[in-house]
Amino acid sequence: MNQQYIWRSLFPLTICFAFVGVIQATEPLQYNRDVLPILAENCFACHGADSAARKADLRLDQRDVAIGTGAIVAGQPDDSEIINRVLTDDVELVMPPAELKKTLTADEKEILKRWISEGARYERHWSLIAPSQPKLPKVRKKNWAKNSIDRFVLARLQQAGLSPAAEAIPAKLFRRVHLDITGLPPAAEDVAAFVSAYRGNKENKDNVLSDWIDKLMQTSAWGEHRARYWLDAARYGDTHGLHFDNYREMWPYRDWVIRSFNANQPYNQFTVEQIAGDLLPKPSTDQLIATGFQRCNITTNEGGTIDEENLANYAADRVQTIGWVYFGLTTNCAQCHDHKFDAITTKDYYSLAAFFRNTTQGPKDGNVKDGRGPVIKVPLEEDRTRIAALPAEITAATKSLEARKIAAQAGFNKWLDVTEKETVRLELPTKELIVNLPLNEGSGNTVTNQIADAKPVKVTGNVTWVANGRTAAPVIKTGNTFDLGGLGDFEKDQSFSYGAWVRVATAKASAGIIARMDEQAAFRGWDLFVGGGEFAVHLIQEWPGNAIKVSTSGAALKAGTWQHVFVTYDGSVSPDGIKIFVDGEQRKLTVNSNTIKPDATIRTKTPLRIGQRRQTAVLEGGSIQDVRVYDRLLSVTEVRTIAEATLLQGIFATAQADRTKEQNQTLLNHYLNQHDPEYVKLQQVVLDLEQEQTAIDARSPVTHVQVEKQDSDAMAYILMRGEYDKKGEQVSAATPASLHPFADDLPNNRLGLAQWIVDPANPLTLRVTVNRFWQEIFGRGIVTTPEDFGVMGADPSHPELLDWLALEFRDSGWDVRKLFKLMLTSATYRQGATITQQKLEVDRDNALLSRGPRFRMDAEMVRDYALAVSGLLSRKMYGPGTKPYQPSGIWEVVGLAGGDTRNYVQDKGKNLYRRTVYHFWKRMAAPPNMVAFNAPSREYCAVSRERTNTPLQALITLNDPQFVEAARKLAELALIETDGSDQAMIDFIITRALSRSLKDREFEIVQSSKQHLLEYYQAHADDAKLLLAVGESKVDDSMDDITLATWTMVCNQILNLDEVLNK
Amino acid sequence: MNIIEEYKTLQTRRQFFSQGKNLLGTAALGSLLGSGTSTSAGEGVVKTHFPATAKRVIYLHMVGGPAQMDLFDHKPKMKEFYDKELPDSVRKGQRLTTMTSGQKRFPIAPSKFKFGPAGECGMMMNTELLPNLAKKADDICWMRTLHTEAINHEPAIAAMQTGNQVPGRPCLGSWASYGLGSENENLPAFVVLVAVPSNRDQEQAISSRLWGSGYLPGEHAGVSFRSAGDPILYINNPAGVPAAVRKRTINNINALNEINFKAVGDPETQTRIRQYEMAFKMQASVPELTDLNTESDHTFKLYGEEAKKLGTFANTVLMARRLAERGVRFIQIYHNNWDHHGNVAGRMPSQCKDVDQPCAALIDDLKQRGMFEDTLIIWGGEFGRTIYSQGNLSMTNYGRDHHPRCFSMWMAGGGAKGGTIYGETDDFSYNIVNEPVHIRDFHATVMQLLGYDHEQLSYKYQGLNQRLTGVLPAQVIKELVL
């Protein structure tokens, strides 16, 4: 059983051990182990699954075809063409052909012959065979094992003639566990507590470790740390990724991933929600956010790109991501041709793509943060309780308000009786009123501006008066308007307010109502305008290059109806400073133009006119009354009063019996608003609640989600050679034919795909997943090509262990914490990391797990470690991406003019010290201090990271202000917490940084280094000051510069130790 | 017997490292930045397949796509076609970008610039805007029939740099670094410089992914040298830490790491020790590298006074020469704003002024230093432009849209055959008539000059032997090679 797989990935090793290097002549060959590697490497490129590349119609990856064509005659190697062609000396005939520059060894030729003579039996590829419960191997030293993992590992070690390493010393073990669970170094007190408890018998040790693991897994850091790996796979970033690479708002998805791990959401649910949360019955907000996984792909808005091509690219990215994350198959190869090695055809590929093409997402992202949808708004954590409660509260408050309306009826009747008999008292605002033109004279050619000492109003033509539901009003016609002379000569930074009752004859009207505007001087001036079915306000020096225009949105104009229109302007020279009220209600405005320049003027010599601009834009056939202009900003209440009071005047002038229903309603509303304090109180409650709702809505971020088109089935075209414009056969959504069947009862959409992926019968998902988790802890997967479990991927180093873990994970209910705990409590994991010469030769890469994991931490951990050790780390979670220190010019070099991520504006305060998982990730220029440590750009899916070791990394941890500042803070902390003696200082620093104390020789080096530094800074006090100025956090004034600078550099050294940078 | 004790007494650090390296046994470790320990200068880390004529490359990428018919692809007949419709027989229904696909007309815009024969080879080129370059015509290998599939900038630059329109593949510079390794312990093998054009009207996005290493190990990614701030990120010590203090700091770090290594035995610790040493060497060598005060007046006469101004094209080209002198294998310069959708008349002169003198100077300068023969210079954009005008057309001004079906590039030095004029396009500079050069062929040819068979220099990734030229056919164009 153990020898089912060949250990190709361990090549230098395999030659050392007879059990794999040479196949025993007595033992039958196994296809997957012995034959497939030879065929795959040498034959399949031309005689495999790819129909386009296939030569001579021969495929050797399928037994019946190979036999049917005579290439293989089972049991008869000498009659098999394949053998003849491999053995021949004829350059014309020999296989593989000379131009491929591949040759078979004598051993390989012998294996092919033997395999055919033994019957040429084929096997399915190992990863496509469902995992079966492996038998625990027999081992010597059984008591070493803590759980089943160790049995598998030990069996392999013993085969290789190796023994496991001794257990790591408790402090190192604890540091490792802490880093693996939280991504952060342990506090010195916790190390001490663990070390003192982790003693005695085996059982006690196991319990202590188990308790600590449980405790650490309950911290929020657990989710942050696990999420980081997932966000690489999900290719999460904060920008669109192409061309302008502008801001894309979807950090709620990042936060959802963190929360999900912290809630220990079962991994199958985690998966289904991300692939198809939107298709679940009544999806929750969180399930919708989860679908952001589908929306993390890079998108473009580049002018000239072709929509169809963009959409094809987006779908291709999703197929690749799903392929790498769940199938462990390089499906993307089949975009242009049938996969050469794995059983994935081009048709399979586009059938998969079909699942993702039925989306409402558009081809271009608009360079805007919501990417032009689909998105949802996600209230902030602190707003969630309120936003959930508000609808019910608003309903209840509105109910009370309605009830009050009924209860107030008696009071209203009483008020009406009294009021009918009195003159309505109209307390209209008069302060700074400069025009008060009722236009209700009803006859004649004289109208009056009822302001004291007002000049006579110039009337052009003969006024026609007509009553249309109000007292008779003038009808505006060309040659029949009013001229108020020099009034209203406002500048753009003056506040003023104006309006009137208006009855516009036709919805097509395009006219000035109140205007002081000179259309012959590029429309200089201001006005209240009607056009396009909306009311508008202009403030203009020169149209359109130097002007403001706002207009109501939503068909505010009701032609043939009296409407009260009023404008207030606060003099702020901004469209936001203008409000337009229609019938007392403030209307939503559209900003049509905002080009006004700081030095602009809107003053003009043309007079203030009613019903037209200087010469044109006459309100033909319309009527105007009660024109008011104030030389100040009116409040909302004042505007309402004007609208209402003038309305009431009209109503009271009508006999009770003749009043319309609306008029009666207006009277009631007036009573309630003005004379019923209880109603006003209740109304305020409703308003406050609504305002709260609006405010929450306004500050809620959006996040990108996946939304299925409702009116179509998932389908796609096969694109020839992957080119978007070479459409071939149309295919509907389907999973690859060669994988496990898609159950009949699954819906044929993403939800079906998701359920198929987490179907326990799926041989891939479980293996691929546990392999990735294993990789997080042990530094390399059991399969070292985590994205490729196909024929050309690496074979598992411990195939049975992989299967055992997969089944264990499944049977636990896809419990991520449980799986990790299993790994972390194993004896395999607890081994010390020390390498012996023998192990270096036999197991250099620790593929056999002959020692504990030790490797350089990922970029984010390196930074978080320094922040945590120095006490700088902020534990604030979630929210928009942070922008910590970054060298200047990183964004600018790649940024386009007008792009919103061209200029990097560094954060201040706490955001400089948050965990790196919250970094703002600009994909076209990812943080350089992260990239140097192999962080991916997040432009596409990454399921593993490289671990290079370059001088550029040294330059970062030595010189990056982030790390220099951390060194200073660590030094400050040590000076605060200790008596300042060398012994105490060094102990403090080392305990925090390394979770241990120094050996004598090490201590000597550090102490002598400190002495040299002290001498240097004593002689160069200015340099001490300069060094301490690095970083934005305050320097503790009570400390001596020279001492602090000295210890800062000591800490800088310590934080650069290999032992610090390694797990 | 304690095996570690025994081992410790036997091994010195250097021996240990070289053994570790042999165990890995591939280019991956050996070509770590600066590790020239096992390779003599000029010898590849991956053994070359034939003798290399180019030991280093200076690649001048003109971002946006220069108009070939305004520079190198002379089309005198077009004068008669002024404002006439591009014949359907020429266009053949070819794909257009959505920027001009909506245009009602495709009127021919003949070049408004003066062309003349240059050098003994008689290259007909724009002598009005490129007078200095014209004088070098016989040193230059002219290619007029490059072609690509990509029609928009992002995918086209990716294709030109990596052989594939989809982002994420290693670029030419990374392949060179992977193959050739470094000649200098103190500097990276692959350096990128982004020049600031004097006109910044319509720049295109340049992403650091363009110098990414793709699936090749990360150390083969280009290291971006910056014109402002630290030339290499984080190269400068913090304020108040002079080199002497830093040297001592690094010695102490390494001494402590040595102790740790003895206890744990992890070979990576040894690598780290070496990298800290190298980091210090880089810190020491970069100030000298970037200090242009050591250049003579003659140099600035050659490259022009602009070369003194940080970040100009002339300045980056001079830096490229200094980097090449110090053993950097591949220097990539990006010069932006060649995307002339409109106002060719207004924008082409300043673009040409930026590059004309420095390019000619680079040829002379390398010659006088005896480096021309083994330094390959490449000049070109990601695609060409259309003969028909985008937007308004007049006798004196016009715009041009993207055109992938033919465009011009040139090479010089490093075994490229000077005085060659290769390839012919039709009268409209629209289709190739003779001797096409697909960008894959171009890549294969560059690889050949570097000593590699493009089908053999590969890297195993996702089960395939991945290579720059991919799976489609590509051939070395022998006529371009000395």
Side-chain angles (χ1 to χ4, degrees), chain A residues 251-438:
Chain A
W251 54 262
Y253 169 72
R254 178 245 281 142
D255 290 352
W256 175 85
V257 175
I258 294 171
R259 289 192 171 94
S260 169
F261 277 109
N262 273 335
N264 200 31
Q265 184 180 33
Y267 188 81
N268 51 354
Q269 285 175 26
F270 176 74
T271 294
V272 169
E273 291 183 2
Q274 293 189 76
I275 297 176
D278 56 316
L279 298 174
L280 291 168
K282 290 200 187 141
S284 66
T285 304
D286 274 349
Q287 286 168 333
L288 292 175
I289 297 172
T291 64
F293 176 71
Q294 312 275 316
R295 297 295 314 281
C296 285
N297 62 293
I298 56 174
T299 59
T300 189
N301 198 55
E302 185 180 336
T305 57
I306 293 153
D307 289 357
E308 199 41 44
E309 184 171 24
N310 292 340
L311 290 171
N313 288 341
Y314 301 165
D317 174 89
R318 288 175 188 140
V319 174
Q320 168 169 313
T321 303
I322 289 280
W324 288 17
V325 174
Y326 288 108
F327 299 10
L329 291 176
T330 53
T331 52
N332 42 311
C333 295
Q335 187 176 358
C336 306
H337 50 78
D338 292 345
H339 202 292
K340 286 190 191 308
F341 307 103
D342 294 325
I344 296 178
T345 62
T346 311
K347 184 174 177 180
D348 288 332
Y349 176 88
Y350 286 99
S351 305
L352 268 178
F355 283 111
F356 303 107
R357 295 214 57 167
N358 203 32
T359 165
T360 62
Q361 182 190 3
K364 295 213 175 83
D365 58 46
N367 295 323
V368 291
K369 73 173 182 181
D370 71 8
R372 298 224 171 115
V375 292
I376 55 167
K377 274 209 171 181
V378 186
L380 300 171
E381 176 77 355
E382 58 267 34
D383 287 332
R384 294 216 180 155
T385 322
R386 286 302 298 148
I387 202 76
L390 276 167
E393 287 183 20
I394 290 172
T395 309
T398 311
K399 241 187 209 158
S400 309
L401 191 66
E402 289 305 316
R404 178 65 208 164
K405 246 185 201 173
I406 294 160
Q409 193 65 41
F412 169 62
N413 292 338
K414 222 160 123 194
W415 169 81
L416 202 56
D417 279 351
V418 177
T419 314
E420 291 281 11
K421 288 163 197 148
E422 296 175 359
T423 316
V424 182
R425 285 181 52 200
L426 298 174
E427 288 186 12
L428 297 184
T430 52
K431 200 177 150 220
E432 317 270 1
L433 181 63
I434 58 168
V435 174
N436 179 5
L437 190 65

Side-chain angles (χ1 to χ4, degrees), chain B residues 116 237 299 406 441:
Chain B
N237 290 326
T299 301
C406 63
D441 304 328

Side-chain angles (χ1 to χ4, degrees), chain A residues 443-738:
Chain A
S443 63
N445 263 344
T446 311
V447 300
T448 316
N449 180 4
Q450 301 189 334
I451 302 292
D453 305 328
K455 289 188 180 143
V457 179
K458 211 166 130 193
V459 182
T460 57
N462 288 317
V463 183
T464 320
W465 298 89
V466 66
N468 262 320
R470 287 177 68 91
T471 51
V475 179
I476 306 293
K477 280 184 292 212
T478 300
N480 251 348
T481 58
F482 307 97
D483 177 340
L484 289 161
L487 291 171
D489 185 16
F490 302 122
E491 184 50 284
K492 68 174 190 306
D493 54 1
Q494 261 176 282
S495 55
F496 54 102
S497 308
Y498 57 105
W501 280 93
V502 189
R503 185 182 163 279
V504 180
T506 156
K508 286 181 195 151
S510 176
I513 297 166
I514 302 172
R516 185 172 169 121
M517 179 171 291
D518 187 354
E519 58 270 51
Q520 285 169 349
F523 296 89
R524 178 171 306 179
W526 59 270
D527 69 3
L528 166 61
F529 187 77
V530 61
E534 305 288 352
F535 296 105
V537 171
H538 296 90
L539 303 178
I540 299 175
Q541 166 162 330
E542 222 179 280
W543 183 260
N546 192 355
I548 290 177
K549 178 184 181 182
V550 298
S551 57
T552 53
S553 50
L557 173 68
K558 290 188 190 133
T561 307
W562 281 104
Q563 291 179 285
H564 188 255
V565 188
F566 216 86
V567 179
T568 66
Y569 171 57
D570 65 2
S572 62
V573 204
S574 150
D576 302 340
I578 300 172
K579 293 187 178 111
I580 300 180
F581 300 80
V582 178
D583 292 333
E585 292 301 321
Q586 190 181 333
R587 300 296 296 238
K588 220 175 129 197
L589 300 185
T590 304
V591 179
N592 309 98
S593 180
N594 183 18
T595 57
I596 201 148
K597 296 182 177 135
D599 59 353
T601 176
I602 61 168
R603 292 180 64 185
T604 163
K605 292 223 161 68
T606 200
L608 176 61
R609 286 179 177 274
I610 307 304
Q612 66 167 86
R613 286 172 171 170
R614 180 177 161 192
Q615 291 202 311
T616 58
V618 179
L619 188 69
E620 292 289 348
S623 292
I624 300 175
Q625 277 191 331
D626 192 30
V627 178
R628 292 167 173 271
V629 181
Y630 291 84
D631 194 359
R632 67 177 175 93
L633 178 72
L634 261 58
S635 70
V636 175
T637 325
E638 286 175 316
V639 175
R640 280 216 181 125
T641 309
I642 294 170
E644 199 175 70
T646 54
L647 192 66
L648 290 179
Q649 268 183 323
I651 298 172
F652 282 120
T654 313
Q656 240 186 40
D658 298 340
R659 287 178 200 159
T660 63
K661 211 172 152 194
E662 283 83 22
Q663 285 175 323
N664 285 326
Q665 192 60 46
T666 307
L667 285 175
L668 175 62
N669 285 344
H670 173 81
Y671 166 76
L672 291 169
N673 284 324
Q674 303 292 334
H675 305 282
D676 185 36
E678 180 60 21
Y679 181 85
V680 172
K681 212 173 84 194
L682 290 170
Q683 191 180 40
Q684 196 56 46
V685 172
V686 175
L687 285 174
D688 287 350
L689 290 171
E690 282 174 348
Q691 204 173 359
E692 188 183 358
Q693 199 176 33
T694 314
I696 289 176
D697 197 51
R699 67 175 169 256
S700 301
V702 300
T703 196
H704 288 53
V705 297
Q706 184 66 294
V707 172
E708 197 78 343
K709 277 186 198 160
Q710 293 303 319
D711 53 355
S712 56
D713 288 331
M715 60 72 72
Y717 291 99
I718 293 180
L719 302 179
M720 313 312 285
R721 299 224 61 87
E723 289 171 35
Y724 77 95
D725 56 350
K726 301 219 168 63
K727 281 186 184 168
E729 184 194 343
Q730 180 179 330
V731 292
S732 51
T735 50
S738 58

Side-chain angles (χ1 to χ4, degrees), chain B residues 429-468:
Chain B
S429 192
Y430 203 89
N431 299 297
I432 292 169
V433 173
N434 205 4
E435 299 174 332
V437 184
H438 192 274
I439 53 172
R440 281 190 300 278
D441 304 328
F442 165 68
H443 287 152
T445 308
V446 171
M447 280 291 142
Q448 163 100 6
L449 293 172
L450 291 170
Y452 292 106
D453 176 347
H454 69 97
E455 292 186 337
Q456 291 287 302
L457 183 66
S458 62
Y459 187 82
K460 193 108 174 169
Y461 174 67
Q462 292 196 343
L464 292 173
N465 290 317
Q466 310 272 0
R467 53 197 198 208
L468 173 64

Side-chain angles (χ1 to χ4, degrees), chain A residues 124 126-133 760-764 767 803 807:
Chain A
R124 291 199 85 190
W126 70 268
S127 67
L128 302 182
I129 303 169
S132 58
Q133 194 58 255
N762 186 331
L764 289 164
R767 283 190 179 115
D803 284 1
L807 296 178

